[in-house]
Amino acid sequence: MKNLIDFFTRYNYWFLFLLLEVISFVLLFQFNSYQGSVWFTSANIVSGKVYEISSKIESFFELSQVNEQLTQRNIYLEQQVKGLQEKLTSATQDSSYLRNNQYQYLAGYKLIPAKVVSNSVDKYNNLITIDKGAADGVKKDMGVACGNGVVGIIFMTSEHYSIVIPVLNSQSNISCTIKGRGYFGYLHWKGGDASMAYVDDVPRHARFKLYDTIVTSGYSSVFPPGLLVGKVRHVYNSPDGVSYRLKIKLATDFGSLRDVCVIDNSVMNERLELLRATQDSIKGK
């Protein structure tokens, strides 16, 4: 205690000087408007910088907590997106071919995406109108598919629209095969149920079973091989008794069809022309 008293006694004039300086500054800035405004401005600048630095320091030490919250939020959003995608697919039967396994069979082909603008499923000769035409590269006899499988064949085009003869048309005739079995037939629709069609001319010696998959054969210049058509649901004898008629459940839901793609058949035409030339060459020898 004695040392503390000696310290204040020894330096008392310094403490007196500091006290008088503080009192003078208070009087100066409190009773003089100009000096007061300068002090106020400077104090605000200094305090603002101090608060800014303090905020940055606090934010830095809170980054781990923020990252944890962001991670939890991202997980929640991913779950929400996944759930919405599943609901959308279930509700609309989205046929976006870019997100469907059918796209693998169309790799290497030029595809022209299109929207269905009119459609019917309750007539004997149904037709589909799409919003792409000659100006977009669409031509007569090009195949049309969706994410779920085969749709039909281009029948007529204008500058910006095209008419499609779908599977649900009595004039439709598409070459098909039983996947993994190697037996072929032709897809027809007999009217009535828009979810069912028939594959005719399947040979009597064919071996298959119910729920086998029917796909395009690739034996024409319209569709590449492997596009999904449907699944076998019932087997009948043909009217002449020399072949089978297969009743199949169509993979494409024509009632909710919205998005389709037109398949540019120039690659298939080239392949078939080469095959025909080879066959003619062999026959000529």
Side-chain angles (χ1 to χ4, degrees):
M1 186 67 179
K2 183 177 181 299
N3 291 333
L4 180 62
I5 294 173
D6 290 339
F7 174 79
F8 282 110
T9 302
R10 187 180 305 172
Y11 299 104
N12 63 80
Y13 52 92
W14 285 107
F15 291 111
L16 179 61
F17 172 79
L18 291 175
L19 177 63
L20 293 175
E21 284 292 320
V22 169
I23 292 173
S24 63
F25 276 112
V26 169
L27 293 175
L28 175 66
F29 293 115
Q30 186 172 0
F31 296 101
N32 294 275
S33 58
Y34 175 76
Q35 287 81 355
S37 64
V38 171
W39 164 256
F40 181 78
T41 303
S42 301
N44 280 342
I45 292 174
V46 172
S47 62
K49 289 294 183 181
V50 171
Y51 285 135
E52 181 181 355
I53 294 171
S54 175
S55 176
K56 289 180 178 179
I57 293 173
E58 290 178 359
S59 299
F60 176 80
F61 286 106
E62 291 176 355
L63 282 178
S64 60
Q65 181 180 359
V66 172
N67 286 336
E68 183 179 353
Q69 293 174 348
L70 287 174
T71 301
Q72 294 175 349
R73 185 65 177 172
N74 284 339
I75 293 173
Y76 171 78
L77 291 174
E78 288 174 358
Q79 292 173 340
Q80 291 293 309
V81 170
K82 183 178 180 180
L84 289 172
Q85 286 176 338
E86 292 174 351
K87 289 181 180 179
L88 181 63
T89 300
S90 175
T92 65
Q93 296 295 316
D94 181 26
S95 59
S96 177
Y97 58 86
L98 291 176
R99 294 185 175 90
N100 194 280
N101 288 334
Q102 287 297 292
Y103 184 64
Q104 64 180 311
Y105 298 106
L106 299 175
Y109 296 93
K110 179 183 176 182
L111 304 176
I112 305 170
K115 295 282 187 182
V116 173
V117 296
S118 70
N119 185 18
S120 64
V121 297
D122 57 352
K123 300 177 175 61
Y124 189 64
N125 289 313
N126 296 290
L127 295 173
I128 296 174
T129 304
I130 60 175
D131 65 349
K132 294 295 171 66
D136 306 290
V138 178
K139 299 177 183 178
K140 179 177 169 52
D141 294 330
M142 284 185 173
V144 182
C146 68
N148 295 324
V150 170
V151 173
I153 300 172
I154 298 293
F155 174 66
M156 185 181 298
T157 64
S158 65
E159 193 70 10
H160 300 292
Y161 296 93
S162 298
I163 301 296
V164 180
I165 293 182
V167 172
L168 303 184
N169 187 300
S170 65
Q171 304 300 314
S172 177
N173 185 30
I174 299 172
S175 177
C176 300
T177 182
I178 304 173
K179 187 175 182 180
R181 305 284 184 177
Y183 303 110
F184 304 94
Y186 293 91
L187 182 68
H188 298 101
W189 188 63
K190 308 297 181 181
D193 191 346
S195 66
M196 295 291 179
Y198 297 89
V199 175
D200 293 319
D201 300 329
V202 177
R204 296 287 295 183
H205 63 270
R207 294 292 179 266
F208 54 88
K209 58 185 179 180
L210 294 180
Y211 298 100
D212 271 357
T213 301
I214 305 297
V215 297
T216 54
S217 67
Y219 283 1
S220 72
S221 62
V222 179
F223 294 103
L227 288 181
L228 185 60
V229 176
K231 291 185 178 294
V232 179
R233 289 299 180 88
H234 203 282
V235 181
Y236 304 94
N237 288 321
S238 63
D240 56 12
V242 299
S243 62
Y244 289 126
R245 168 178 286 179
L246 309 183
K247 184 177 184 179
I248 67 168
K249 173 77 171 180
L250 293 172
T252 300
D253 183 358
F254 286 89
S256 61
L257 195 60
R258 296 293 180 273
D259 300 285
V260 299
C261 64
V262 181
I263 306 168
D264 189 333
N265 57 7
S266 57
V267 174
M268 288 177 283
N269 278 329
E270 182 180 353
R271 176 175 58 83
L272 288 175
E273 287 174 4
L274 178 61
L275 179 61
R276 293 190 188 103
T278 303
Q279 291 173 340
D280 293 340
S281 177
I282 293 173
K283 289 178 180 179
K285 291 182 180 181

